Amino acid sequence: ILFFDTLRKRANAMLEHEQAGLPALLNFKSEMILDARQFEQPANYALLRITEVGDKCWDDCVDPTKSPVIVIDPRAGHGPGIGGFKRDSEVGIALHVGHPVYFVIFFAEPCPGQTLADVLAALRGFVEHVAKLHAGHPPVLYGNCQAGWAATLVAAHCGDLAGPVILNGSPLSYWAGEPGVNPMRVTAGLVGGVWLTHFLADLANGQFDGAWLAQGFEALKPGNALWEKYATLFRHIDTEQQRFLDFERWWNGFYRLSGQEMVAIVENLFVGNKLEQGKVRIDAHCIADLTRIGSPLVIFASYGDNITPPHQALGWIPVVYRSTDALKAASQRIVYLTNPHVGHLGIFVSAAVARLEHRAILEHLPEIETLEPGLYEMKIDNPTGDPDCARHQYSVRFEPRRIEDLRFDYPRAAFERVRQVSEWNESVYRTFVSPWVAAMATPWLATSLRWIHPMRTSRYVWSERFMPWMGAFAVLADAVSENRHALSDEHPLMAQERKLTETVSNFWEAARKLRDAAQERTFTTMYGE
């Protein structure tokens, strides 16, 4: 009863969030500083300044001598807020350390005709404005996932306006990865490239529904999406309910991107892998050149991340800088640190990671900025094992590394063939099919496709607005909660439940491995080693 009542609450929260316009889910009070929808090149972005933390205001938290931090959340299907939707988060830790904090949000609807260049221009405007507000203190750019490569492009475009750039789980080398472990990189080859993205955007009247991206993420580990997270909620219904609802409110808030913007991202970055090659055009006058970044780069990756593994977070470095001497000659400092097990979202969401790794990064920015040019691995020694330890209880060291040792092998020729196939398919679709699809698409069709998307219907169906009898669970849940006595973990029935859960989880994991292996074999057959 409590389990199904939780699913009912999730569905209602999702509907209420959508009816409210999908506002950002920040756990901090803020004020809007700039609205990029009013810019000459409009984009659906805005810059917020964090003003209060609980009952403490800006002046109680902030050290004006420290550089401001601009946290940029990923625009990858979901709404903004994951970098600050709870106290122990990137925003909370930055404030705790004493930095003035700004947060970049975006709105559910893209501006008409919005392009990737418009978004980058808006982010550049934000950086310039914050730099003026804090003269002498270039802002620290804190980019999560997709926002990491966006921050990288902005830093390459902004010159000396930006301070250190911190990239958390950010893919910059899209073709890199480990066969059988990182299947997302071969997906484009299996569907023929970017044309499918263009088709979905045409059907949706020129917009791309972020629910498709969220579905892609869940498909990476279907066992977790379809079974494990619900089994965990069921087994720990007395303690997991609120955490489940808080996270699902963000996870199920699907935003939209403009079709033109999404096609450019897939075509240039995911399929074309043009970022590390210096071929991404920012505007009519500028092509992104990562060697132009003069600010220190801090790269945080995890070996438990199957969306952005260390291969993709670090693999661009030996492409852009052919040797350690070349990196030093460019007067650049790149620091990287890795986590052995945390998943992709854990890099931005985990409270333990925020209290240790992110705090260590922010507390040691002055040391990072004074390092000699070169490549370093950041090592954190924490003998207490407590992520909330005091600064004197843990230590950080920067160990020099060689770019020559930081190389990840992958079948580059095969991915080049994927790019060529994608370009041919896209040219055919754009010329002969897209005009017809766009002519038939209507706002009514776009709205209908959003409503019937599986990522929405699988959640909506548990609301009493769609199934009136679900209202009975609200009444029953109140009655059950009044006299709730859970069985102890040592009870034989609980042991049988754990065994059943593990058996089903093992089945899903085996099925996932078979599917991923089949995809890799198919990819190799189609495009070669």
Side-chain angles (χ1 to χ4, degrees):
I1 289 171
L2 296 177
F3 173 81
F4 283 111
D5 186 56
T6 304
L7 298 186
R8 180 191 66 84
K9 290 179 179 178
R10 180 184 67 172
N12 288 338
M14 182 177 176
L15 290 166
E16 291 167 4
H17 192 209
E18 291 176 346
Q19 290 170 349
L22 295 171
L25 299 177
L26 274 174
N27 192 32
F28 302 87
K29 293 184 180 179
S30 61
E31 62 178 356
M32 186 179 294
I33 302 295
L34 291 175
D35 187 345
R37 294 175 296 182
Q38 310 302 322
F39 285 9
E40 184 178 350
Q41 296 175 256
N44 65 333
Y45 278 70
L47 178 68
L48 307 181
R49 181 173 75 99
I50 305 300
T51 58
E52 291 186 22
V53 186
D55 56 353
K56 293 184 179 181
C57 66
W58 172 277
D59 296 330
D60 296 326
C61 300
V62 169
D63 181 354
T65 64
K66 292 190 174 183
S67 298
V69 172
I70 302 178
V71 178
I72 310 174
D73 252 8
R75 187 158 164 252
H78 308 288
I82 199 65
F85 85 130
K86 57 185 178 181
R87 291 292 296 273
D88 288 331
S89 60
E90 293 167 341
V91 170
I93 291 300
L95 288 167
H96 176 73
V97 175
H99 291 273
V101 178
Y102 296 82
F103 195 88
V104 175
I105 66 167
F106 41 89
F107 302 97
E109 293 281 348
C111 294
Q114 178 174 307
T115 65
L116 180 59
D118 297 332
V119 172
L120 296 177
L123 295 178
R124 175 185 170 89
F126 296 163
V127 172
E128 291 175 341
H129 186 77
V130 174
K132 290 178 182 177
L133 293 177
H134 300 267
H137 298 287
V140 178
L141 302 186
Y142 224 91
N144 296 325
C145 187
Q146 170 271 344
W149 60 254
T152 304
L153 290 173
V154 170
H157 196 39
C158 285
D160 297 331
L161 284 176
V165 181
I166 301 168
L167 310 176
N168 303 302
S170 301
L172 272 71
S173 184
Y174 298 89
W175 292 349
E178 186 177 347
V181 179
N182 308 122
M184 181 177 280
R185 65 199 181 106
V186 305
T187 303
L190 299 179
V191 299
V194 71
W195 76 271
L196 182 59
T197 301
H198 196 166
F199 172 66
L200 292 174
D202 285 342
L203 280 180
N205 212 31
Q207 294 185 354
F208 186 85
D209 188 358
W212 290 110
L213 295 174
Q215 187 178 54
F217 294 143
E218 289 201 346
L220 287 174
K221 288 191 174 181
N224 179 70
L226 299 175
W227 172 255
E228 289 176 16
K229 74 175 181 180
Y230 296 109
T232 300
L233 173 66
F234 184 87
R235 286 169 47 205
H236 305 286
I237 192 65
D238 299 295
T239 57
E240 281 291 300
Q241 185 184 81
Q242 194 56 49
R243 186 205 62 80
F244 176 88
L245 291 174
D246 289 343
F247 179 78
E248 289 288 301
R249 189 162 182 254
W250 172 79
W251 181 254
N252 296 313
F254 306 122
Y255 279 46
R256 291 174 285 283
L257 296 89
S258 77
Q260 188 175 354
E261 179 186 0
M262 189 64 198
V263 168
I265 291 172
V266 175
E267 191 172 42
N268 288 288
L269 302 179
F270 292 100
V271 176
N273 195 37
K274 295 180 180 180
L275 183 56
E276 67 179 22
Q277 302 169 31
K279 297 180 180 179
V280 176
R281 180 168 292 279
I282 295 179
D283 53 40
H285 309 288
C286 181
I287 294 177
D289 182 358
L290 300 186
T291 61
R292 293 180 56 196
I293 302 176
S295 307
L297 294 174
V298 181
I299 303 169
F300 183 19
S302 172
Y303 287 97
D305 183 353
N306 68 331
I307 294 177
T308 305
H311 310 65
Q312 294 185 7
L314 302 172
W316 64 275
I317 299 174
V319 177
V320 175
Y321 301 99
R322 296 294 180 178
S323 65
T324 306
D325 291 337
L327 179 63
K328 292 180 178 179
S331 299
Q332 178 58 290
R333 293 138 294 169
I334 299 179
V335 176
Y336 70 91
L337 68 156
T338 58
N339 186 291
H341 56 77
V342 71
H344 182 70
L345 289 175
I347 295 176
F348 339 118
V349 175
S350 169
V353 170
R355 296 199 306 267
L356 183 61
E357 280 95 339
H358 288 297
R359 181 162 58 95
I361 291 172
L362 291 168
E363 288 183 337
H364 291 82
L365 284 179
E367 289 89 335
I368 292 173
E369 294 186 84
T370 57
L371 288 172
E372 292 293 323
L375 178 68
Y376 300 87
E377 182 174 4
M378 180 177 174
K379 294 285 191 177
I380 305 175
D381 295 320
N382 181 19
T384 68
D386 179 9
D388 202 23
C389 57
R391 180 166 181 176
H392 69 273
Q393 294 177 300
Y394 79 97
S395 62
V396 168
R397 66 184 188 276
F398 300 97
E399 298 182 354
R401 294 287 184 263
R402 299 174 69 251
I403 284 181
E404 291 78 2
D405 299 329
L406 196 66
R407 298 190 184 276
F408 302 98
D409 294 327
Y410 62 88
R412 179 176 293 273
F415 285 101
E416 283 287 355
R417 284 188 280 273
V418 172
R419 180 185 58 78
Q420 294 168 4
V421 169
S422 176
E423 290 177 353
W424 190 88
N425 287 343
E426 170 61 9
S427 65
V428 171
Y429 175 80
R430 187 186 299 271
T431 304
F432 299 107
V433 182
S434 177
W436 293 97
V437 177
M440 291 186 292
T442 64
W444 182 88
L445 175 63
T447 302
S448 299
L449 290 175
R450 285 200 298 269
W451 273 98
I452 65 174
H453 194 285
M455 288 294 292
R456 291 187 177 88
T457 56
S458 62
R459 275 70 169 172
Y460 290 156
V461 71
W462 300 107
S463 171
E464 59 265 39
R465 302 190 196 182
F466 291 87
M467 292 199 300
W469 53 86
M470 287 299 297
F473 283 95
V475 178
L476 293 172
D478 289 340
V480 168
S481 299
E482 289 180 1
N483 193 29
R484 165 83 173 147
H485 298 288
L487 294 178
S488 68
D489 287 341
E490 289 74 26
H491 194 283
L493 290 178
M494 297 297 289
Q496 290 295 322
E497 183 180 279
R498 286 193 296 271
K499 185 177 179 180
L500 174 61
T501 299
E502 184 179 352
T503 300
V504 177
S505 297
N506 290 339
F507 163 79
W508 277 111
E509 182 64 11
R512 181 194 66 80
K513 290 180 178 180
L514 286 172
R515 181 204 64 183
D516 293 349
Q519 288 181 343
E520 290 281 353
R521 287 195 298 271
T522 303
F523 181 86
T524 301
T525 301
M526 293 172 65
Y527 299 102
E529 291 291 346

